[in-house]
Amino acid sequence: MLTISLILLPIIAGLITLTTKGENTKKVAAAFAFAELALGLFIYGSFVPDATTQFATSFDWIHSAGIKFSVGIDGISLILVCLTTLMVPFIILSTYGNDYKNAPTFYALILFMQAALIGVFTARDIFLFYFFFEAALIPVYFIAAIWGGENRIKVTFKFFVYTIFGSLFMLLALVYLYLQTPGIAHKSDFASIYEAAKMLDITQQSYIFGAFFIAFAIKMPLFPFHTWQPDTYVEAPTAGTMLLSGIMLKMGTYGLIRFVLPIVPAAVDKYGMIAVILSVIGIVYGSIIAIQQKDMKRLIAYSSFAHVGLMSAGIFSGNIDGIQGALIQMLAHGINVVGLFFIVEIIQQRTNSRELARLGGITQTTPNLTVYFIILMLGSVALPLTNGFVGEFLLLKGVYAYNAWVGAIAGLTIILGAVYMLRMVQKSMFGITSKITEGFTDLTFSEKAVLFPLSFMVIALGLAPNMFLKLTEPAVIQLLSIIK
Amino acid sequence: MQIPDIIRQIPLNYYIWFSTALFCIGIIGVLTRRNAIIIFMSVELMLNSVNLLLAAFSSYKSDPSGQIFVFFIMAVAAAEVAVGLAIIVMIYRNIQTIDVGLLNKLKW
Amino acid sequence: MSLITLIPLLPLLGFLINGIGFRHVPKSLAGIISTGAALASFACVLSLFFGFDGKPQIVSVFDWITVGKLNISMSFLIDQLSLLMLLIITGVGSLIHIYSIGYMSHDEGFGKFFAFLNLFLFFMLLLVMGSNYVVMFIGWEGVGLCSYLLIGFWNKNNNYGNAARKAFIMNRIGDLGFLLGIFLIITHFGSVEYADVLERVTDGGYASGDKTLFYITILLFVGAMGKSAQIPLYTWLPDAMAGPTPVSALIHAATMVTAGIYMIIRSNFMYSLAPDTLHIVAWVGTATAILAASIGLFQNDIKKVLAYSTVSQLGYMFMGLGVMAYSSSFFHVMTHAFFKALLFLGAGSVIHAMSDEQDIRKMGGLRKALPITFITFLIATIAISGIPPFAGFFSKDEILAHVFEHDKVMWGFAVFGSMMTSFYMFRLLFLTFFGEFRGTHEQEHHLHESPITMTAPLMILAVLSAAGGFFNLPHIFGGHASLAEFMAPLFAHSNVEHAAVDESLEKTLMIVSVIAALVSAGLAYVIYVGKKTIPVADEQVSGFQKVVYNKYYIDELYDKVFVKPITALSNFFSSVFEFLVIDLIVEGIGKLVKALSAEARLLQNGTTGYYIFAMVLSIAIIIIYSLKSFILG
């Protein structure tokens, strides 16, 4: 029941938010998001670190087709549930400085989005998974299309069509797998699908691999399926960008772990190298592009693209380091990127600009902002004792174990990452104040209320990654045993 | 069951050929004529060719369901005529003609 | 909590208090808290040192990262090497903290500065105390961060910011090598603990020249190149002088930059089995020593001269490592920490007195105004030039003796380098402290000896620079080489052949190098005191001197070869490739669908007859298709 309430609570919260007016809207939305967080923390606390699916609930949905409404949480889901419940309250808090038109709708959409995301990460039935996977697209589409920047219509349309296009391939693969299950009625729960997948020969696996790969590669995105991403991130309102980059792109990496690895291991073995190489190209390509970006949001968008490349390379390397690293990095990247986008938002609110060339010298009046910015930046460049390091260390180790040369090239991320992140910090924070950064005021209380917890998590997770690694390890080991 | 001799005097094949001929005349009428009323009549002709065939088979097989079909079709055709003629009248009132060739507004 | 964990924790605490309380903690208190933390750490180290019984001690604090069979624990190792490094770091570190109280007293970022210094100490202590390579890597990157923060301390100045970024990024290049080395170690030995790796290597029966060990050692050495500023990754160090002078003394002279040497000594059991790597290490060291020394000859910025001198001295240390003279190299690390910290602090004192002037062409005759600074600077100069009986002489000669044994040509280069060292150091000394004052009237009026908080550390370091050599007095002078003896257990598995240079040869070598040093010191005297030559203004430098003065245009070369192409590539990717190739395909598919639909919609021409004809035709086709067996028979 706990998992169901985790999905239902944001939906109810969203509906209630729709009925509120004025200042109350933000408060109600935030209160519910924190209640959800409490629920998430409770689940984290009572999760038993083994490979089973816990807090599971299942009842018939479409009986005649053997489709069930089946949800539950295992180690891999847990980390993403934690990410979602952790990030949404801060994403909502981060909007306190803005007044949106139709605010109730805006916050309700965020909460619906959360419900759909939790649904994706906890679904234990492929059709339920697909349902939530697509459902998550709708709120974020509206958030971007209604409250976005100038170019929003064209950009969000491209984003929507592109991702739907990918998802259809996934649907094909899912239906095919479903038809492979025994019986006239078939079954669509994960266990049956995994069981049925064992019978697939290499040709079948290759097709399914291709279908899944396109879907998830677009979602994450991987090179060369990424062109929707920077534009969408730039055009979407910052809260939408945070949802997209902080949580939604993890749907892709989660899908890789949940479906591609256990269902088509032979195809991964055969074509994994191509996927890893594409991922690594993405890392280097994204990082190099980020070096010269003028717009802070776009810069972070490309950095996010580069980071997700490393995650996918780690997953495709198919060893425990790579997958554990990817899991911990999903959490870490979520935290860092939400924090960084928020800082961009703060700068934009006060100066009306995100252009690096016009900024500078902000640090002189804002010691607090500087400290948080630097902590988040360090997390992003993977300095040891920050969350990013644990993830990147394990990921690189995983990729290195897969292939030393590819690992070495993927390792360029630690150099290039430093290049673009330091450039961004220097151009925006240091140097002499420009016309628009004069009199830049330091953080308000609500801004601190977002940045402090995020920065705290950056360091806490860097100091004690075992608090998550221990929980996910049994599930990952079980996953690897399926592959072998 | 025995089929009455009076019916058997005309072989079933004749009915088939005849219906086919009627049906083809109907089709050609629909395809070639541009007057809506004539097209309408051609459609009726096609329907009736089917009715004839149904009735014939029904008798030869001594199965009444074919004739029940015929009644259904006649009822539906009557309703169709009612609606169809009303539409045609409306068209005439609007464009003073019932030439379907001129009714090509609904395109790309 | 044991004393051992307290050592890094105290500076961390100092950092947190000063960092969180920045602008709330009063200035007077901030300095005391930080210095107190450093001194308390030093006290802990001293008590550990005197209680040390020769057995390595490992303290595990907590399990940090556990994945599969690999467990990386946050644990500390106290053995001969880490103890000595700890002594240098906390000892010299404390002195520099004290010095900074005076030096930074007028700076508005006083509290921040001390917070960063403490943070640096914390990471540096982690670096040398870690009992495995990953903890070393934490410290390794952490000191890089502090170096970044402190070089860019005066962040209003964009050039300083650029220097800071350059330092961080060049270090990161090295760090990647280090990281890959760690991966290779994990792959082959399944652990990152020094003790385990040592065990696997000794039990594994690795022959000298083993490929695996070669790769591991060379990758680790890439890390060392970055951190210890060796060719080709040395250009960040001179730029790092943008930071406040105490930082240059602590981070960019005495401690952080010697991390590479520490790492190689720590891994000596692998290096000793990789003669090819050692060969590379030795020659890279030699090349760096010569190149940096030659650049130092014509620099006019007091700190730049010292910076190139640091690079060059680090080169000597690597030279020593390359010929497996580990303890000699370490000896040089130690003495270098003393005299180079002293030189930088002295330079700081000069800069302080000169109101932030760093150009030696505008100094001169300062020995009257700054007597303590002058005398201590003189001692350090003699020490670095390798003139007995000061510290530098002993340590450098030990390295030279080993190098001579190993390779005579390299020895020749080394002596040549030490001649240059002596020349540029005395040139610096003479131009700064001798002759007439060449600055403005205002500066002259302002000239003053530094306060006691600054001169006290100078004096202590001067004593150490003068007498530091006696820690490891060689046998020929009746000493016991006590440092080498103390460190001997570290090299138990490396088959270090103790230099069996016969005494007369050793003496000859010493005499040669001393004479060389004295000759160039004399030459400097003749040129800069006798003839009162003043280096010409920047524009008038010409010929070969210009090339050297511009550091052989290496920075420009890097800019052309790496920075520019990557920038261009970035611009190309983001404005051309992204839109004209990738997005064109994506949008192209969309456009194709659109174009097809434009054609296909023409089928909907609105003519009823046409639709009906299509319908009839289709039905006919379907009927024919379904009856095809009937029709065709």
Side-chain angles (χ1 to χ4, degrees):
Chain A
M1 266 341 269
L2 217 49
T3 319
I4 298 241
S5 43
L6 208 55
I7 299 174
L8 282 183
L9 182 67
I11 294 181
I12 296 168
L15 293 175
I16 294 176
T17 311
L18 279 176
T19 66
T20 56
K21 283 202 183 88
E23 274 302 298
N24 281 333
T25 311
K26 289 174 182 174
K27 285 178 193 153
V28 170
F32 275 109
F34 276 104
E36 176 87 352
L37 172 60
L39 208 57
L41 287 179
F42 177 73
I43 285 178
Y44 170 79
S46 44
F47 186 84
V48 186
D50 59 25
T52 55
T53 304
Q54 297 163 37
F55 314 105
T57 318
S58 172
F59 46 83
D60 276 347
W61 188 21
I62 305 174
H63 179 75
S64 54
I67 297 174
K68 285 180 174 164
F69 192 97
S70 170
V71 290
I73 295 174
D74 67 353
I76 297 169
S77 302
L78 178 75
I79 209 158
L80 288 148
V81 168
C82 285
L83 172 73
T84 314
T85 53
L86 259 177
M87 285 305 114
V88 172
F90 296 113
I91 292 175
I92 290 178
L93 276 187
S94 79
T95 61
Y96 268 42
N98 286 357
D99 280 314
Y100 290 105
K101 252 192 263 169
N102 295 327
T105 324
F106 182 77
Y107 291 102
L109 283 173
I110 293 182
L111 290 164
F112 290 149
M113 174 90 184
Q114 184 180 25
L117 289 165
I118 300 261
V120 170
F121 298 138
T122 57
R124 308 293 301 173
D125 179 289
I126 52 168
F127 287 111
L128 191 62
F129 175 84
Y130 183 77
F131 168 74
F132 282 124
F133 197 84
E134 296 297 29
L137 195 56
I138 298 163
V140 82
Y141 170 75
F142 282 115
I143 290 175
I146 299 176
W147 291 275
E150 273 171 35
N151 249 333
R152 60 183 188 271
I153 300 297
K154 182 176 183 295
V155 166
T156 46
F157 179 70
K158 181 170 169 184
F159 155 65
F160 193 85
V161 172
Y162 208 156
T163 46
I164 281 277
F165 171 78
S167 308
L168 287 177
F169 285 95
M170 182 175 76
L171 184 62
L172 266 180
L174 291 178
V175 170
Y176 185 81
L177 285 167
Y178 168 72
L179 293 176
Q180 301 303 306
T181 55
I184 305 162
H186 302 294
K187 278 183 173 160
S188 62
D189 58 306
F190 283 2
S192 314
I193 295 290
Y194 289 165
E195 197 54 44
K198 285 182 187 162
M199 305 297 152
L200 299 174
D201 64 26
I202 182 71
T203 334
Q204 290 169 308
Q205 289 208 8
S206 305
Y207 283 114
I208 295 175
F209 174 84
F212 275 133
F213 182 75
I214 290 178
F216 298 134
I218 291 174
K219 202 82 179 179
M220 288 193 281
L222 282 190
F223 182 88
F225 303 104
H226 64 275
T227 46
W228 63 267
Q229 189 217 26
D231 291 336
T232 312
Y233 282 16
V234 170
E235 290 300 328
T238 304
T241 313
M242 289 172 178
L243 285 170
L244 276 169
S245 62
I247 314 175
M248 201 165 160
L249 71 79
K250 275 76 181 184
M251 281 168 35
T253 45
Y254 174 79
L256 289 183
I257 297 179
R258 189 56 92 199
F259 291 120
V260 177
L261 289 188
I263 289 177
V264 288
V268 172
D269 207 39
K270 196 170 165 194
Y271 300 108
M273 195 58 174
I274 299 171
V276 170
I277 286 174
L278 280 182
S279 310
V280 171
I281 291 176
I283 298 172
V284 177
Y285 180 78
S287 305
I288 286 183
I289 288 190
I291 290 174
Q292 283 294 311
Q293 288 309 306
K294 298 174 184 83
D295 182 322
M296 289 177 89
K297 228 172 163 182
R298 195 172 274 274
L299 194 156
I300 300 173
Y302 277 110
S303 92
S304 174
F305 166 50
H307 280 132
V308 84
L310 185 56
M311 288 181 227
S312 114
I315 293 168
F316 278 112
S317 58
N319 48 40
I320 188 163
D321 299 305
I323 296 172
Q324 284 280 64
L327 286 172
I328 204 90
Q329 181 75 342
M330 285 187 214
L331 188 59
H333 177 260
I335 295 169
N336 296 338
V337 91
V338 165
L340 288 171
F341 274 125
F342 184 45
I343 284 170
V344 174
E345 172 77 5
I346 290 173
I347 291 175
Q348 191 181 7
Q349 273 173 15
R350 306 208 177 161
T351 62
N352 270 324
S353 174
R354 298 188 304 251
E355 230 175 285
L356 287 173
R358 300 180 60 203
L359 300 171
I362 293 174
T363 182
Q364 286 162 33
T365 49
T366 60
N368 285 314
L369 178 65
T370 315
V371 170
Y372 293 128
F373 197 177
I374 286 184
I375 291 176
L376 289 164
M377 182 269 284
L378 293 176
S380 186
V381 301
L383 199 90
L385 299 188
T386 63
N387 56 7
F389 174 72
V390 184
E392 288 206 0
F393 179 79
L394 293 176
L395 283 168
L396 287 175
K397 182 169 171 291
V399 180
Y400 183 85
Y402 182 72
N403 181 312
W405 288 108
V406 176
I409 294 169
L412 288 177
T413 179
I414 72 164
I415 300 170
L416 297 172
V419 175
Y420 60 75
M421 284 315 261
L422 294 184
R423 171 174 171 272
M424 179 170 80
V425 171
Q426 191 190 348
K427 296 246 168 181
S428 58
M429 303 303 284
F430 300 149
I432 316 158
T433 46
S434 72
K435 225 181 253 167
I436 53 173
T437 58
E438 255 172 25
F440 198 99
T441 49
D442 207 352
L443 300 178
T444 63
F445 179 75
S446 72
E447 287 162 349
K448 277 187 202 163
V450 178
L451 288 175
F452 178 75
L454 290 178
S455 306
F456 179 77
M457 283 187 270
V458 168
I459 292 168
L461 195 57
L463 271 176
N466 271 352
M467 63 184 179
F468 281 103
L469 288 174
K470 285 257 162 73
L471 294 182
T472 56
E473 183 151 306
V476 173
I477 288 175
Q478 197 200 27
L479 177 79
L480 289 170
S481 71
I482 297 178
I483 298 174
K484 290 288 133 54
Chain B
M1 206 163 68
Q2 200 64 40
I3 303 161
D5 278 346
I6 188 88
I7 291 173
R8 283 172 138 221
Q9 279 174 356
I10 305 169
L12 186 57
N13 262 358
Y14 287 18
Y15 288 101
I16 295 176
W17 285 117
F18 180 55
S19 301
T20 311
L22 272 184
F23 192 83
C24 287
I25 292 167
I27 287 180
I28 290 164
V30 168
L31 287 180
T32 55
R33 304 308 290 258
R34 299 173 68 172
N35 188 313
I37 301 273
I38 307 246
I39 290 175
F40 219 74
M41 284 159 63
S42 304
V43 170
E44 291 302 314
L45 201 59
M46 286 157 74
L47 281 172
N48 281 321
S49 77
V50 174
N51 282 348
L52 180 67
L53 204 55
L54 278 169
F57 272 100
S58 172
S59 297
Y60 268 80
K61 298 273 175 186
S62 301
D63 182 353
S65 52
Q67 292 176 37
I68 294 172
F69 256 123
V70 171
F71 284 117
F72 266 108
I73 292 174
M74 282 160 74
V76 171
E80 194 189 310
V81 168
V83 177
L85 279 178
I87 293 174
I88 291 170
V89 169
M90 287 311 292
I91 290 171
Y92 183 77
R93 281 195 192 158
N94 274 299
I95 60 171
Q96 319 304 323
T97 170
I98 46 171
D99 185 344
V100 290
L102 298 174
L103 290 173
N104 61 356
K105 290 259 161 55
L106 197 65
K107 59 180 178 184
W108 47 86
Chain C
M1 189 174 300
S2 76
L3 211 56
I4 296 174
T5 30
L6 218 54
I7 297 173
L9 225 52
L10 283 166
L12 182 65
L13 209 64
F15 160 70
L16 289 177
I17 294 173
N18 273 335
I20 295 171
F22 178 52
R23 291 189 184 166
H24 302 295
V25 177
K27 243 184 183 183
S28 51
L29 204 60
I32 291 171
I33 290 170
S34 282
T35 314
L39 280 170
S41 269
F42 183 53
C44 293
V45 174
L46 274 182
S47 83
L48 269 182
F49 181 73
F50 289 114
F52 186 64
D53 59 357
K55 282 201 200 89
Q57 209 182 335
I58 292 182
V59 183
S60 188
V61 187
F62 62 91
D63 281 348
W64 185 36
I65 301 178
T66 316
V67 172
K69 285 180 203 127
L70 180 72
N71 179 27
I72 300 166
S73 74
M74 187 67 80
S75 55
F76 299 138
L77 164 71
I78 293 297
D79 67 350
Q80 288 86 351
L81 182 58
S82 48
L83 268 177
L84 289 171
M85 282 303 282
L86 286 176
L87 279 174
I88 297 174
I89 294 161
T90 52
V92 177
S94 300
L95 289 176
I96 292 174
H97 272 74
I98 296 170
Y99 177 91
S100 306
I101 295 179
Y103 188 81
M104 297 299 287
S105 57
H106 304 302
D107 200 280
E108 53 176 333
F110 189 78
K112 186 170 77 169
F113 180 79
F114 276 98
F116 288 167
L117 273 193
N118 268 189
L119 184 67
F120 168 76
L121 274 191
F122 165 70
F123 278 122
M124 193 67 208
L125 292 170
L126 273 190
L127 196 162
V128 297
M129 285 176 72
S131 78
N132 59 50
Y133 283 100
V134 181
V135 177
M136 192 204 281
F137 189 75
I138 301 177
W140 194 270
E141 289 249 285
V143 290
L145 165 70
C146 297
S147 159
Y148 166 76
L149 292 173
L150 284 163
I151 297 169
F153 183 74
W154 289 305
N155 55 42
K156 276 188 206 173
N157 187 323
N158 257 329
N159 289 336
Y160 293 0
N162 291 341
R165 263 201 302 160
K166 184 174 175 183
F168 194 82
I169 289 161
M170 288 202 122
N171 268 303
R172 274 250 154 155
I173 297 173
D175 292 353
L176 176 60
F178 190 177
L179 199 60
L180 293 176
I182 293 178
F183 292 153
L184 204 54
I185 288 175
I186 296 174
T187 322
H188 283 279
F189 305 124
S191 171
V192 284
E193 294 287 326
Y194 304 138
D196 295 343
V197 177
L198 173 63
E199 198 188 305
R200 309 271 150 83
V201 171
T202 45
D203 294 355
Y206 286 95
S208 178
D210 186 84
K211 267 262 177 306
T212 313
L213 289 179
F214 170 73
Y215 287 127
I216 292 177
T217 49
I218 205 83
L219 284 171
L220 292 182
F221 179 56
V222 171
M225 278 178 187
K227 196 106 296 181
S228 297
Q230 296 298 294
I231 292 174
L233 299 177
Y234 71 96
T235 56
W236 65 270
L237 187 57
D239 287 10
M241 296 303 130
T245 310
V247 171
S248 313
L250 179 60
I251 302 184
H252 305 121
T255 54
M256 183 183 91
V257 289
T258 60
I261 291 114
Y262 166 79
M263 183 225 268
I264 290 181
I265 296 180
R266 190 45 95 198
S267 327
N268 69 75
F269 53 91
M270 287 193 276
Y271 278 89
S272 301
L273 289 173
D276 293 342
T277 315
L278 285 178
H279 206 64
I280 294 169
V281 171
W283 278 107
V284 167
T286 312
T288 312
I290 302 284
L291 183 87
S294 69
I295 297 175
L297 290 177
F298 299 115
Q299 296 301 310
N300 292 325
D301 181 318
I302 185 166
K303 284 178 75 180
K304 281 270 159 75
V305 177
L306 294 178
Y308 280 106
S309 148
T310 307
V311 175
S312 154
Q313 295 299 313
L314 290 167
Y316 277 102
M317 295 173 207
F318 279 100
M319 208 190 287
L321 294 176
V323 299
M324 284 170 70
Y326 300 119
S327 63
S328 313
S329 278
F330 189 81
F331 186 29
H332 200 55
V333 167
M334 198 169 87
T335 55
H336 179 256
F338 298 147
F339 59 67
K340 191 50 69 61
L342 174 54
L343 285 171
F344 268 113
L345 295 185
S349 178
V350 169
I351 295 166
H352 195 66
M354 293 285 296
S355 318
D356 295 331
E357 180 58 66
Q358 300 194 6
D359 193 333
I360 48 175
R361 285 170 296 198
K362 298 189 177 127
M363 298 178 182
L366 296 181
R367 67 177 188 279
K368 290 154 224 153
L370 305 164
I372 301 175
T373 310
F374 168 63
I375 290 169
T376 51
F377 204 90
L378 177 67
I379 291 171
T381 307
I382 299 175
I384 194 176
S385 306
I387 295 167
F390 289 30
F393 165 73
F394 295 101
S395 53
K396 192 184 279 183
D397 258 356
E398 255 189 53
I399 293 177
L400 289 186
H402 282 96
V403 169
F404 184 78
E405 209 185 335
H406 184 79
D407 189 334
K408 312 272 183 300
V409 180
M410 198 186 284
W411 179 82
F413 280 122
V415 172
F416 178 60
S418 91
M419 276 176 77
M420 290 197 276
T421 309
S422 169
F423 180 83
Y424 66 69
M425 282 315 299
F426 276 100
R427 168 180 176 269
L428 181 66
L429 181 82
F430 294 143
L431 282 172
T432 313
F433 291 100
F434 288 77
E436 298 299 313
F437 187 72
R438 297 182 293 272
T440 59
H441 273 293
E442 215 173 307
Q443 282 169 332
E444 191 167 14
H445 181 69
H446 182 255
L447 279 183
H448 61 87
E449 181 56 285
S450 303
I452 180 75
T453 48
M454 287 169 70
T455 48
L458 290 182
M459 291 186 279
I460 297 171
L461 283 171
V463 172
L464 286 170
S465 306
F470 295 94
F471 288 130
N472 195 23
L473 198 61
H475 294 290
I476 47 168
F477 294 114
H480 299 291
S482 30
L483 183 77
E485 219 159 87
F486 180 71
M487 291 179 75
L490 293 169
F491 314 120
H493 299 280
S494 323
N495 311 318
V496 179
E497 295 153 31
H498 278 285
V501 190
D502 76 278
E503 285 197 2
S504 61
L505 180 60
E506 195 173 346
K507 276 182 187 153
T508 323
L509 293 179
M510 279 181 183
I511 292 166
V512 171
S513 64
V514 170
I515 289 174
L518 284 173
V519 165
S520 37
L523 191 66
Y525 185 83
V526 171
I527 297 175
Y528 295 104
V529 182
K531 292 190 185 167
K532 299 197 171 156
T533 319
I534 312 298
V536 290
D538 290 353
E539 310 82 54
Q540 292 163 18
V541 187
S542 59
F544 181 65
Q545 201 183 342
K546 188 174 172 191
V547 176
V548 178
Y549 183 70
N550 286 309
K551 309 149 210 163
Y552 299 106
Y553 297 102
I554 299 281
D555 276 321
E556 285 76 3
L557 182 76
Y558 284 179
D559 190 56
K560 281 238 163 61
V561 177
F562 298 108
V563 181
K564 286 264 163 59
I566 288 184
T567 317
L569 201 62
S570 174
N571 285 330
F572 170 74
F573 278 164
S574 66
S575 53
V576 179
F577 192 74
E578 190 82 341
F579 294 100
L580 288 188
V581 180
I582 299 178
D583 212 26
L584 202 69
I585 296 170
V586 175
E587 300 260 326
I589 291 171
K591 290 215 174 93
L592 184 72
V593 172
K594 251 181 157 175
L596 283 178
S597 103
E599 294 301 318
R601 76 194 175 131
L602 295 180
L603 291 173
Q604 305 287 323
N605 60 6
T607 319
T608 325
Y610 178 79
Y611 294 160
I612 297 170
F613 178 71
M615 190 174 85
V616 170
L617 198 68
S618 314
I619 292 173
I621 289 171
I622 291 171
I623 288 174
I624 291 168
Y625 182 77
S626 53
L627 296 179
K628 72 173 182 254
S629 59
F630 183 72
I631 293 167
L632 299 174

